[in-house]
Each structure stands twice: as C-alpha cells, then as structure tokens.
C-alpha cells in the first residue's frame, strides 16, 4: 500500500489546472468584467505558488518530515473547493492560492519519494506510472468538469475534495521516518551542473508548449469551429490526457538512459506533428488528431526528463527534483502570458503557432545536448 499511496500523489498536480479548463467560458459569463487573460490565469495561479514554495522548501524539509508536508499539502489542496461555498471571484483567487500552497508542499514528493524508495527498473516503471496518473487526473478532471459545468460551474471545484482520500491513505500507510528530497544530513548547497540546468529548461519549455492547449482550447474551439459546449471541450481534453496515460504506461518498456536523446527526439516529433495540425488545419478531425499527439508527447516527456534528472543525482537527497517539478509548474503559469506576449509582438493570434516557435527552441537545446554527447564519446 505504501507504493500505491506514493504513486497516488501524482494524480493531483495536473488535475489542479485541468479541472477549470472546460469551465472557463461559463465562469467568464458569470464575471464579464474579468479579462480573458485573468480567466486563463485561474488555471495557472497554483503553479507560481509551487515555484515560490521551492524557495523555502529546503529549509522546511530539514524541520518537517515528508509525511507531515504531504498531509498539510493535501489538506490545503482540498480547500480548493471553497468557491462552491463562496462563488465570488476574490474567493476563487484565494482558493487557487491555497491550492497552490498545498501543491508546493506536495509536488516535490511525487517524484522525490519514488527516487528515494525505489531503484533501477522498478523506479523507471514507477516514473512512467506517475506520469500516467498525472494524465489520468486530467482525464477525471475534464470529464467531470464537462459533465457538471453546464448545470453549475461551482460544482467543478468539488473535485479537489478527492485529496481527502489521499490524505487518509498517506496518514495510514506512509511511514513517519520518510523525509523529503533534501535531507538535513546532506549539504544545503549543491553544485548545479549545466546539464541539470538544460534539463530544467527543457521541462519548462515542454510545459509551456503543452499548456497552450488547456488555456486556449475553449476559446479556440468557439472562434474557429463554433463549438462552445463544456462537454465537448471536456471530452477532447479527456481523450488527449488518456493518450498521455497510455504513453506514460509504456514509457518504462522503452530502453533506458542510454537512449534518452532518442526519447527526446520522439517527444519533440510528437509535438511537432501536434502543433502543425493545431496551427494549420481547418477541419475538426485533424485538429483533434493534433490534440492526441500532444497528449502522447506530454505523457512521454515528463517521465523522460524526470529520469534524466534522477540520473544526474549523486546522492538520494537532492533539491534537483523539487526544482525540476517547479519548472513544470512555472511553465504552466507562464504559458498564457508568454504566448499572449509573443502573439502581440508577432501580430499573430494563433497560440499554437507561437508554440511551434518554442518547440524550435526545445529542439535546439536537444540537438546541443546530442552534439555534446557525441563529442564526449568521440
């Protein structure tokens, strides 16, 4: 049960933002004075809380056990349901902040506890399963949101109460002596290699690119395909995430670290196909196909980069993983703002075309890594 309890933590991070994606249009009708940019940021506000939380997390981990951090994080995460009681925009913002603080306590452990408790093939398999659960959380979130948003968008926020179930399992089955990725016995300052920084940057870019979809899908479907029902948006996001679940499940059966650059090229190829279809197609079936490729790419990309990070560690206690997870959430937060800025500067209102540009940057970093590895081997 300890393994299941640790894995189940990965169900919650992407769910935090994905649950609101199908409901943005309904929320915008309730608050017409709020700009679309701020509405989109509701998806990503928890992400910046995770990033800021990493500034204090190393000190916190020397004083508070991992179990206590996770329990508190899950409790705060459940407070994301507050807008059901008080459906005002300030309350929604407050709930997103509380949920984000909870995530900042929770997120480092989703991968850190796997790295600290398991090794070898089991570790890689669990990383794939963790990615699958990440995407499965999105599936559950968007299907639920799509079903209830048409009745009452406030019902969407009740999904965050699922954290109570995990809180109970962690309390019962996670031993008290499990600590965070940063152990007090380890140096508080670690020398960060250039290779680690590049992996962090790739995780950031991957998330920025993917989150162009949930933050823009409802508006894009309305403007280009005259589809505005939350149910259809929820179904599309669910199918997209389901492909991520499948991709994460089979990741562990792909050759390991020695083929990590091939793994990168595969996920970049998947996103290239995806963003080309999303940017240029005029037909809904091809657009949906582009969504499926993006889900497959994310489900492959997250465990790929997490495995690369773990491979750089010299001891089992390191803030490297925590910062890596923070880069994922920073990408979620930055995504709508960066895409909006790029669109404004280029006078181009297609958000997926902007993601193609960022994908070129990601490809450049991957090719630089490949050339360095080739030079070192030569």
């Amino acid at each position: 049960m300890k393994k299941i309890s640790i894995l189940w933590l990965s169900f919650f991070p992407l769910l935090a933002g994905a649950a609101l994606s199908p409901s943005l249009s309904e929320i915008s009708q309730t608050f017409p004075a709020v700009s679309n940019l701020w509405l989109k940021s509701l998806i990503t506000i928890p992400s910046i809380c995770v990033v800021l939380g990493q500034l204090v997390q190393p000190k916190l981990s020397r004083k508070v056990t991992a179990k206590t951090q996770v329990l508190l994080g899950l409790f705060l995460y459940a407070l994301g349901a507050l807008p059901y009681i008080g459906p005002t925009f300030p309350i929604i913002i407050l709930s997103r902040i509380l949920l984000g603080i909870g995530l900042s306590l929770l997120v480092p452990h989703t991968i850190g506890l796997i790295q600290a408790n398991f090794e070898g093939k089991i570790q890689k398999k669990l990383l794939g399963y963790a990615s699958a659960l990440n995407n499965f959380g999105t599936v559950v979130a968007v299907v639920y949101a799509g079903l209830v948003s048409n009745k009452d968008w406030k019902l969407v926020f009740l999904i965050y109460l699922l954290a109570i179930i995990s809180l109970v399992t962690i309390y019962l089955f996670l031993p008290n002596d499990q600590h965070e990725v940063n152990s007090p016995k380890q140096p508080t300052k670690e020398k960060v290699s250039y290779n680690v920084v590049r992996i962090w940057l790739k995780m950031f870019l991957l998330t920025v690119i993917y989150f162009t979809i949930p933050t823009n899908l409802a508006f894009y479907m309305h403007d280009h395909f005259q589809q505005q029902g939350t149910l259809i948006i929820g179904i599309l996001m669910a199918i997209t995430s389901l492909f991520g679940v499948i991709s994460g499940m089979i990741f562990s059966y792909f050759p390991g670290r020695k083929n990590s650059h091939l793994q990168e090229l595969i996920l970049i190829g998947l996103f290239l196909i995806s963003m080309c279809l999303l940017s240029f197609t005029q037909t809904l079936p091809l657009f949906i196909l582009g969504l499926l490729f993006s889900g497959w790419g994310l489900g492959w990309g997250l465990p790929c980069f997490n495995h690369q990070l773990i491979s750089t560690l010299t001891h089992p206690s390191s803030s490297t993983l925590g910062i890596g997870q923070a880069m994922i959430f920073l990408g979620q937060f930055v995504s709508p703002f960066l895409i909006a800025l790029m669109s404004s500067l280029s006078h181009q209102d297609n958000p997926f075309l902007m993601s193609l540009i960022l994908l070129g940057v990601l490809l450049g970093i991957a090719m630089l890594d490949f050339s360095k590895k080739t030079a070192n081997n030569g």
Side-chain angles (χ1 to χ4, degrees), residues 160-357:
Y160 299 122
L161 294 178
L162 288 175
I164 296 175
I165 299 175
S166 187
L167 188 151
V168 173
T169 61
I170 288 295
Y171 178 79
L172 293 176
F173 301 112
L174 186 67
N176 288 317
D177 59 348
Q178 296 296 321
H179 289 274
E180 222 278 323
V181 211
N182 278 326
S183 168
K185 297 180 181 180
Q186 295 293 345
T188 57
K189 294 184 178 180
E190 300 176 30
K191 184 178 180 180
V192 179
S193 69
Y194 183 51
N195 183 44
V196 169
V197 173
R198 289 201 305 272
I199 297 174
W200 288 341
L201 181 57
K202 288 185 287 189
M203 298 175 84
F204 170 77
L205 287 172
L206 177 72
T207 316
V208 170
I209 292 168
Y210 176 79
F211 264 77
T212 308
I213 295 173
T215 55
N216 289 280
L217 183 60
F219 302 101
Y220 196 88
M221 289 289 291
H222 176 268
D223 295 340
H224 291 78
F225 299 105
Q226 291 72 52
Q227 300 285 339
Q228 60 182 1
T230 55
L231 181 58
I232 184 63
I233 303 301
I235 291 174
L236 289 178
M237 284 303 304
I239 296 175
T240 300
S241 300
L242 183 60
F243 268 66
V245 173
I246 298 171
S247 179
M249 293 293 288
I250 69 172
F251 172 80
S252 60
Y253 299 100
F254 194 83
R257 183 184 178 187
K258 63 181 181 179
N259 291 309
S260 63
H261 296 291
L262 176 59
Q263 295 173 15
E264 284 187 53
L265 292 178
I266 290 174
L267 74 90
I268 290 174
L270 290 169
F271 270 105
L272 178 61
I273 296 172
S274 169
M275 292 303 158
C276 284
L277 288 173
L278 296 178
S279 298
F280 302 116
T281 186
Q282 301 296 319
T283 62
L284 187 57
L286 287 178
F287 184 85
I288 294 174
L289 184 61
L291 294 177
L292 302 184
F293 274 106
S294 70
W296 192 277
L298 183 70
W300 191 278
L302 291 181
C304 172
F305 291 141
N306 280 323
H307 188 260
Q308 287 184 10
L309 273 183
I310 289 177
S311 299
T312 68
L313 300 182
T314 57
H315 52 76
S317 297
S318 172
S319 62
T320 301
L321 294 176
I323 297 175
Q325 299 310 299
M327 289 299 101
I328 294 175
F329 283 87
L330 180 62
Q332 293 181 29
F333 178 79
V334 168
S335 182
F337 299 99
L338 179 58
I339 295 299
L341 176 62
M342 293 174 64
S343 297
S344 177
L345 293 175
S346 63
H347 305 289
Q348 171 60 248
D349 62 356
N350 189 325
F352 306 118
L353 196 58
M354 300 301 101
S355 290
L356 268 176
I357 297 174

Side-chain angles (χ1 to χ4, degrees), residues 35-68:
S35 68
N36 283 345
L37 186 59
W38 275 109
L39 287 168
K40 294 177 184 179
S41 72
L42 290 178
I43 297 177
T44 56
I45 281 175
S47 306
I48 196 63
C49 296
V50 173
V51 175
L52 295 176
Q54 296 309 303
L55 299 177
V56 299
Q57 214 285 327
K59 293 182 179 180
L60 182 65
S61 65
R62 294 196 295 271
K63 300 179 180 179
V64 183
T65 64
K67 182 172 182 176
T68 302

